[in-house]
Amino acid sequence: MADPRKTLNPQRRKRRLGDMLVESGLITPDQLVFALGHQKTHGGRLGSVLVTLGYITEQHLESSLGKQLGLETCDVESINPPPEILRLLPEAVIRKHEIIPLAVKGKVLIVGMIDPTNLAAIDEILARTRLARVEPRLVTETTFRRFISTRYASAMLMDQIGNDTGLDRSNVQPGLPGSPTEGLDEISRRVRAEDPEAAVPIVVRLTNYVLKQAIDRRASDIHIEPYETFFRIRFRVDGKLATELAPPLRLHPPMVSRIKLLSEMDISEKRKPQDGHMSMRVDDQDVQFRVSTLPTVFGEKCVIRLMKKEAHLADLARLGFSPDQLKTIKRVIRLSQGLVLVTGPTGSGKTTTLHAAINDINDPDINIVTLEDPVESAIPGSNHVQIAEKAGLTFSSALRSVLRQDPDVVFVGEMRDNEVSSIAIRASLTGHMVLSTLHTNGIVETFARLMDMGLEAYLLASCLQLVVAQRLMRRLCSQCAKTEPIKGDTVVEFNLSPEQVTTALHRVPVGCKQCNETGYRGRIAVYEVLAPNNNLRAILRANGGEDALRKACDDSGVVWLWDAGVARALAGETSFEEVRRVLAPPE
């Protein structure tokens, strides 16, 4: 057997990945120290930690690892082995050793490996396939997970359902050299018999596949919808719904029952809406799913919201605030007391913003307590309380208890009623910094909403230190976006000045494999940020109307959401079409 370590350049292998990245200027020494500390606390490979923190890209990681080990690399787009090659090894072995069977050349099996020096994996591959040699290729941890959650799972699932009869087998050898009596089909049957996963019911595998695929695609919601002759599964990615699968209709009832069972819902009740929660560990990520079912004419529609619970360290500086906005936020959240509100519709990133604020002030000498339903992300050093209304632990009762726990900072998931809001405001006036969210369209509407909830204007004027309104817009795909001049009707609609038109980097969506042909990949945020000054506080105490409040905001230099969105489009980060879709123009 060929020892894979002999194929590696020993000089390159001695150089550590972090040192190579610092030497090449891709990261700074401080970023390396921070990433190593994060790795020590949360685990994982250093390369994956650096990608998660946003210090390097996947392409940088692949290139650096390839140079370090002296091996060829292969990204997820170049990996497309046929099912016959994938069946050479059981799923349990592939997941255990983090390997991808790529191709068979003569007596050699080419395998993608996260750790090409893993001799135990090489030995097991040779024992199971009875081939002469294994030739490793380097894949990153993210590439492996993405492949497992998409192409591998899809190929195996469709094969089991029975929809693989049309697969192209022309590029697969009928038999393996050196094993004349055992071709790929025979090996596949033997592997299936040895693999306990093969006996898992198809509904379980379909459900697992959908959940994993949704995580890999960065979906926020999964829609499972029955119709008269079919049912479809759609993902909401970057705020837009798109069909992902259309399995046989016969699998819909058992699939919904499976999800309800995992969510501790009543599987016998199909005529009433139900809500539930479930948690799963998928590819080393703790993910919580909020599940809702609704009876329709053709069966139960199921919607699943995804909430990752990984302990990531969100950074305020990376959320898209302008320098002035970021300076204001950092100043206010370090005050000893007051109320900070982040507003916007569901799914606009409010909790992410507040978690980033908590991370920014998270020090050993500060007692931070959060009240959430559900706890979306665990922040080391903070005390998270899961609201459980069925058990009597409501926001109001939990907040009263938390205030007896000597907190410095309290995060209340939502100011949903007068009782919670009143307690939160009293807490903010008695030496606590209170952070919370509210569902309003903008910062001006926030004042009216709080007073509609029965809060006294003079209390609001005294405690409110910061209001942030935000929206999420889709980011143009960096691989395929096309630059073109701004059209005349766009200039008129968005009231652009000649200077804006001439200096703009105007881009439009095109579509490619990287963005799933949508032209967009990821999202960016736009914000309104207001730290009330004495003039605005005086207007609040006098119960000033919306027009007076808006003028005071204008006078204090607030950048409105619409203007922030237009600026993003002029910078080439998003399109004017997306600004039009997400934001309301000024009246």
Side-chain angles (χ1 to χ4, degrees):
M1 182 192 76
D3 189 335
R5 289 175 294 191
K6 294 179 180 179
T7 66
L8 303 180
N9 185 318
Q11 296 301 320
R12 286 175 175 171
R13 197 170 62 250
K14 289 179 182 178
R15 299 178 66 196
R16 294 184 299 180
L17 175 64
D19 295 335
M20 290 181 62
L21 293 170
V22 172
E23 290 172 11
S24 62
L26 292 174
I27 62 173
T28 65
D30 290 342
Q31 288 175 328
L32 176 59
V33 171
F34 186 85
L36 289 171
H38 186 280
Q39 181 190 33
K40 185 176 180 180
T41 303
H42 305 290
R45 293 178 173 86
L46 177 60
S48 298
V49 171
L50 290 167
V51 172
T52 299
L53 292 173
Y55 294 157
I56 60 174
T57 65
E58 275 293 313
Q59 291 75 18
H60 291 149
L61 177 59
E62 287 175 355
S63 174
S64 299
L65 283 174
K67 291 177 181 178
Q68 182 192 29
L69 299 173
L71 289 177
E72 290 185 37
T73 63
C74 47
D75 58 48
V76 71
E77 294 300 327
S78 65
I79 300 175
N80 193 25
E84 288 80 357
I85 295 295
L86 294 176
R87 293 195 207 104
L88 292 177
L89 295 169
E91 181 177 348
V93 173
I94 289 174
R95 292 183 180 275
K96 172 185 175 183
H97 295 299
E98 298 175 314
I99 56 180
I100 304 173
L102 297 175
V104 175
K105 291 185 178 180
K107 297 181 180 181
V108 179
L109 177 62
I110 300 175
V111 179
M113 305 180 69
I114 293 179
D115 181 7
T117 64
N118 186 345
L119 294 180
I122 301 260
D123 288 338
E124 185 163 1
I125 292 170
L126 293 175
R128 287 182 176 274
T129 61
R130 302 171 188 173
L131 289 170
R133 188 162 62 89
V134 169
E135 184 177 316
R137 296 281 191 274
L138 180 67
V139 297
T140 64
E141 189 174 357
T142 302
T143 295
F144 173 79
R145 288 180 176 175
R146 191 177 300 152
F147 175 79
I148 288 295
S149 298
T150 54
R151 297 183 181 177
Y152 178 79
S154 179
M156 296 297 99
L157 179 66
M158 292 300 105
D159 178 52
Q160 187 179 4
I161 290 178
N163 290 342
D164 62 339
T165 55
L167 290 176
D168 180 13
R169 303 169 185 266
S170 58
N171 61 342
V172 180
Q173 302 176 36
L176 293 176
S179 180
T181 60
E182 188 174 33
L184 287 175
D185 291 339
E186 286 74 15
I187 292 181
S188 297
R189 283 194 290 270
R190 175 167 56 80
V191 168
R192 286 169 183 260
E194 297 173 357
D195 186 4
E197 289 292 324
V200 176
I202 182 59
V203 171
V204 175
R205 305 197 93 182
L206 175 61
T207 304
N208 292 344
Y209 168 74
V210 168
L211 296 177
K212 292 176 183 178
Q213 178 80 335
I215 294 169
D216 187 78
R217 290 279 309 280
R218 303 171 295 104
S220 60
D221 300 270
I222 305 169
H223 290 242
I224 303 172
E225 305 162 316
Y227 297 93
E228 186 173 8
T229 58
F230 70 98
F231 91 98
R232 68 179 177 182
I233 299 172
R234 296 193 290 171
F235 292 167
R236 186 178 294 279
V237 180
D238 296 335
K240 295 282 284 185
L241 277 172
T243 300
E244 184 67 26
L245 284 175
L249 183 60
R250 59 184 171 82
L251 294 178
H252 174 260
M255 183 180 183
V256 174
S257 294
R258 169 71 178 168
I259 293 169
K260 291 168 71 174
L261 186 66
L262 293 172
S263 307
E264 299 182 350
M265 298 158 68
D266 186 356
I267 62 173
S268 65
E269 179 56 73
K270 302 181 184 203
R271 297 176 296 177
K272 294 181 181 179
Q274 295 189 63
D275 296 298
H277 295 84
M278 61 179 175
S279 297
M280 295 181 67
R281 188 164 183 81
V282 181
D283 292 335
D284 297 326
Q285 298 181 71
D286 287 322
V287 185
Q288 187 162 10
F289 303 88
R290 184 184 299 172
V291 183
S292 172
T293 62
L294 180 71
T296 70
V297 174
F298 300 111
E300 289 181 285
K301 173 182 168 69
C302 181
V303 174
I304 305 172
R305 169 147 289 192
L306 286 73
M307 290 161 286
K308 292 185 180 180
K309 295 177 66 178
E310 57 185 355
H312 64 283
L313 296 180
D315 185 355
L316 274 173
R318 295 173 54 201
L319 295 185
F321 292 105
S322 70
D324 288 341
Q325 291 174 335
L326 184 61
K327 182 179 179 181
T328 299
I329 293 171
K330 283 180 171 287
R331 175 183 62 80
V332 171
I333 61 178
R334 283 170 171 74
L335 297 176
S336 60
Q337 67 181 57
L339 177 64
V340 172
L341 291 176
V342 179
T343 75
T346 301
S348 59
K350 300 185 297 296
T351 301
T352 298
T353 298
L354 286 175
H355 277 190
I358 291 172
N359 277 324
D360 200 71
I361 60 176
N362 191 7
D363 291 319
D365 58 349
I366 296 178
N367 179 21
I368 301 175
V369 184
T370 77
L371 308 177
E372 302 172 73
D373 183 22
V375 176
E376 297 186 19
S377 181
I379 303 173
S382 299
N383 305 282
H384 299 277
V385 178
Q386 170 70 57
I387 298 301
E389 294 193 358
K390 291 182 179 179
L393 186 63
T394 63
F395 273 108
S396 56
S397 63
L399 184 54
R400 289 191 183 93
S401 299
V402 164
L403 294 177
R404 294 191 289 270
Q405 293 281 314
D406 186 32
D408 297 298
V409 178
V410 180
F411 169 40
V412 182
E414 182 184 349
M415 303 265 278
R416 57 177 58 183
D417 55 44
N418 175 264
E419 185 178 14
V420 174
S421 302
S422 298
I423 300 173
I425 284 185
R426 286 199 299 272
S428 69
L429 291 170
T430 55
H432 307 89
M433 173 57 70
V434 179
L435 313 176
S436 191
T437 68
L438 197 65
H439 289 92
T440 61
N441 291 328
I443 55 177
V444 174
E445 292 85 349
T446 299
F447 304 118
R449 173 70 187 278
L450 290 172
M451 287 186 279
D452 286 344
M453 294 170 67
L455 301 178
E456 297 291 343
Y458 73 93
L459 291 177
L460 191 59
S462 300
C463 73
L464 195 59
Q465 299 290 353
L466 182 72
V467 184
V468 178
Q470 66 181 74
R471 296 290 189 279
L472 293 177
M473 299 189 298
R474 291 182 295 169
R475 183 192 298 272
L476 285 167
C477 176
S478 60
Q479 301 295 319
C480 65
K482 182 176 66 174
T483 302
E484 65 176 33
I486 302 178
K487 297 180 180 178
D489 55 349
T490 302
V491 174
V492 174
E493 179 183 357
F494 291 88
N495 194 28
L496 304 179
S497 68
E499 182 182 0
Q500 288 176 315
V501 174
T502 55
T503 61
L505 176 62
H506 179 239
R507 302 196 301 166
V508 295
V510 177
C512 65
K513 289 183 179 179
Q514 292 288 335
C515 60
N516 203 31
E517 304 299 334
T518 63
Y520 299 90
R521 181 170 176 80
R523 288 194 283 182
I524 55 176
V526 289
Y527 303 94
E528 292 174 354
V529 176
L530 172 68
N533 54 25
N534 291 333
N535 180 38
L536 196 139
R537 294 184 192 280
I539 295 174
L540 281 175
R541 290 191 181 95
N543 288 315
E546 184 174 314
D547 291 340
L549 289 170
R550 186 173 296 276
K551 185 179 184 306
C553 291
D554 271 325
D555 293 340
S556 65
V558 168
V559 177
W560 304 105
L561 287 173
W562 177 264
D563 297 325
V566 170
R568 292 280 200 170
L570 291 171
E573 297 175 287
T574 190
S575 66
F576 284 104
E577 176 187 354
E578 188 68 3
V579 175
R580 186 186 302 113
R581 184 183 72 87
V582 175
L583 303 175
E587 297 178 358

